[in-house]
Amino acid sequence: MSDGSLSPRVSVVVGLLAMAPVLWYGLTSSSTAGIISVVNVLITIGALLIATGPAEVATVHGGSSA
């Protein structure tokens, strides 16, 4: 399996799976560090969703078509 055969959205699913150990860390260790870790994972997942989302198509006047 080559890297080109995987959808970029797979990284979003892997990011969501990363929430399990982060939540475990937050429950068993410092709750403050766990909260900060959850926020960091959510920011990363959000950035991946934006980066792998559909591109806006500009109209003649430079605005979006939607």
Side-chain angles (χ1 to χ4, degrees):
M1 181 182 300
S2 68
D3 292 335
S5 65
L6 294 176
S7 168
R9 301 256 180 194
V10 172
S11 59
V12 175
V13 174
V14 171
L16 290 174
L17 291 174
M19 291 301 288
V22 167
L23 291 174
W24 179 259
Y25 171 70
L27 292 174
T28 61
S29 187
S30 169
S31 62
T32 304
I35 291 169
I36 292 171
S37 298
V38 167
V39 170
N40 285 335
V41 170
L42 290 176
I43 290 171
T44 303
I45 293 170
L48 287 171
L49 282 172
I50 292 170
T52 60
E56 289 187 22
V57 178
T59 61
V60 177
H61 301 290
S64 65
S65 61

mmCIF file of all heavy atoms in Angstrom, residues 1 7 9 18 20 22-23 29 40 43-44 62-63:
data_model
loop_
_atom_site.group_PDB
_atom_site.id
_atom_site.type_symbol
_atom_site.label_atom_id
_atom_site.label_comp_id
_atom_site.label_asym_id
_atom_site.label_seq_id
_atom_site.Cartn_x
_atom_site.Cartn_y
_atom_site.Cartn_z
ATOM 1 N N MET A 1 0.853 -1.180 0.000
ATOM 2 C CA MET A 1 0.000 0.000 0.000
ATOM 3 C C MET A 1 0.897 1.242 0.000
ATOM 4 O O MET A 1 1.738 1.414 0.850
ATOM 5 C CB MET A 1 -0.891 -0.029 1.242
ATOM 6 C CG MET A 1 -1.820 1.134 1.310
ATOM 7 S SD MET A 1 -2.874 1.191 2.770
ATOM 8 C CE MET A 1 -3.777 -0.313 2.663
ATOM 9 N N SER A 7 -6.845 8.081 1.647
ATOM 10 C CA SER A 7 -7.537 9.367 1.608
ATOM 11 C C SER A 7 -6.958 10.284 2.688
ATOM 12 O O SER A 7 -6.598 9.817 3.770
ATOM 13 C CB SER A 7 -9.026 9.139 1.872
ATOM 14 O OG SER A 7 -9.674 10.363 2.104
ATOM 15 N N ARG A 9 -8.535 12.109 4.523
ATOM 16 C CA ARG A 9 -9.463 12.092 5.657
ATOM 17 C C ARG A 9 -9.125 11.003 6.661
ATOM 18 O O ARG A 9 -9.623 11.012 7.780
ATOM 19 C CB ARG A 9 -10.889 11.912 5.158
ATOM 20 C CG ARG A 9 -11.315 12.997 4.215
ATOM 21 C CD ARG A 9 -12.210 13.926 4.902
ATOM 22 N NE ARG A 9 -12.625 14.978 3.964
ATOM 23 C CZ ARG A 9 -13.181 16.056 4.363
ATOM 24 N NH1 ARG A 9 -13.413 16.241 5.619
ATOM 25 N NH2 ARG A 9 -13.523 16.984 3.507
ATOM 26 N N ALA A 18 -6.912 9.249 18.536
ATOM 27 C CA ALA A 18 -5.923 9.748 19.489
ATOM 28 C C ALA A 18 -6.572 10.315 20.737
ATOM 29 O O ALA A 18 -5.899 10.515 21.746
ATOM 30 C CB ALA A 18 -5.050 10.814 18.824
ATOM 31 N N ALA A 20 -8.618 8.786 22.714
ATOM 32 C CA ALA A 20 -8.699 7.764 23.763
ATOM 33 C C ALA A 20 -7.500 7.812 24.715
ATOM 34 O O ALA A 20 -7.696 7.924 25.934
ATOM 35 C CB ALA A 20 -8.866 6.385 23.146
ATOM 36 N N VAL A 22 -5.448 10.238 25.151
ATOM 37 C CA VAL A 22 -5.391 11.568 25.761
ATOM 38 C C VAL A 22 -6.370 11.649 26.926
ATOM 39 O O VAL A 22 -6.045 12.170 27.993
ATOM 40 C CB VAL A 22 -5.686 12.660 24.700
ATOM 41 C CG1 VAL A 22 -5.938 14.002 25.343
ATOM 42 C CG2 VAL A 22 -4.543 12.753 23.717
ATOM 43 N N LEU A 23 -7.574 11.110 26.735
ATOM 44 C CA LEU A 23 -8.550 11.104 27.824
ATOM 45 C C LEU A 23 -8.074 10.224 28.978
ATOM 46 O O LEU A 23 -8.258 10.576 30.150
ATOM 47 C CB LEU A 23 -9.911 10.642 27.307
ATOM 48 C CG LEU A 23 -10.611 11.620 26.365
ATOM 49 C CD1 LEU A 23 -11.878 10.996 25.794
ATOM 50 C CD2 LEU A 23 -10.934 12.918 27.075
ATOM 51 N N SER A 29 -3.734 11.025 35.246
ATOM 52 C CA SER A 29 -2.639 11.922 35.610
ATOM 53 C C SER A 29 -3.237 13.279 35.984
ATOM 54 O O SER A 29 -4.294 13.343 36.581
ATOM 55 C CB SER A 29 -1.664 12.037 34.441
ATOM 56 O OG SER A 29 -0.528 12.768 34.806
ATOM 57 N N ASN A 40 -5.433 20.536 22.406
ATOM 58 C CA ASN A 40 -4.430 20.460 21.339
ATOM 59 C C ASN A 40 -4.833 19.452 20.266
ATOM 60 O O ASN A 40 -4.682 19.719 19.069
ATOM 61 C CB ASN A 40 -3.068 20.078 21.914
ATOM 62 C CG ASN A 40 -2.414 21.231 22.635
ATOM 63 O OD1 ASN A 40 -2.698 22.386 22.350
ATOM 64 N ND2 ASN A 40 -1.550 20.915 23.575
ATOM 65 N N ILE A 43 -7.649 20.974 18.179
ATOM 66 C CA ILE A 43 -7.130 21.986 17.245
ATOM 67 C C ILE A 43 -6.492 21.304 16.039
ATOM 68 O O ILE A 43 -6.700 21.718 14.887
ATOM 69 C CB ILE A 43 -6.125 22.918 17.954
ATOM 70 C CG1 ILE A 43 -6.862 23.818 18.941
ATOM 71 C CG2 ILE A 43 -5.328 23.736 16.939
ATOM 72 C CD1 ILE A 43 -5.945 24.617 19.836
ATOM 73 N N THR A 44 -5.741 20.239 16.287
ATOM 74 C CA THR A 44 -5.100 19.514 15.192
ATOM 75 C C THR A 44 -6.137 18.871 14.277
ATOM 76 O O THR A 44 -6.021 18.941 13.044
ATOM 77 C CB THR A 44 -4.155 18.433 15.749
ATOM 78 O OG1 THR A 44 -3.190 19.057 16.604
ATOM 79 C CG2 THR A 44 -3.459 17.669 14.645
ATOM 80 N N GLY A 62 -14.429 37.378 -7.757
ATOM 81 C CA GLY A 62 -13.530 37.071 -6.646
ATOM 82 C C GLY A 62 -14.235 36.543 -5.419
ATOM 83 O O GLY A 62 -13.578 36.192 -4.452
ATOM 84 N N GLY A 63 -15.547 36.478 -5.424
ATOM 85 C CA GLY A 63 -16.276 35.939 -4.278
ATOM 86 C C GLY A 63 -16.468 34.447 -4.397
ATOM 87 O O GLY A 63 -16.221 33.852 -5.440
#
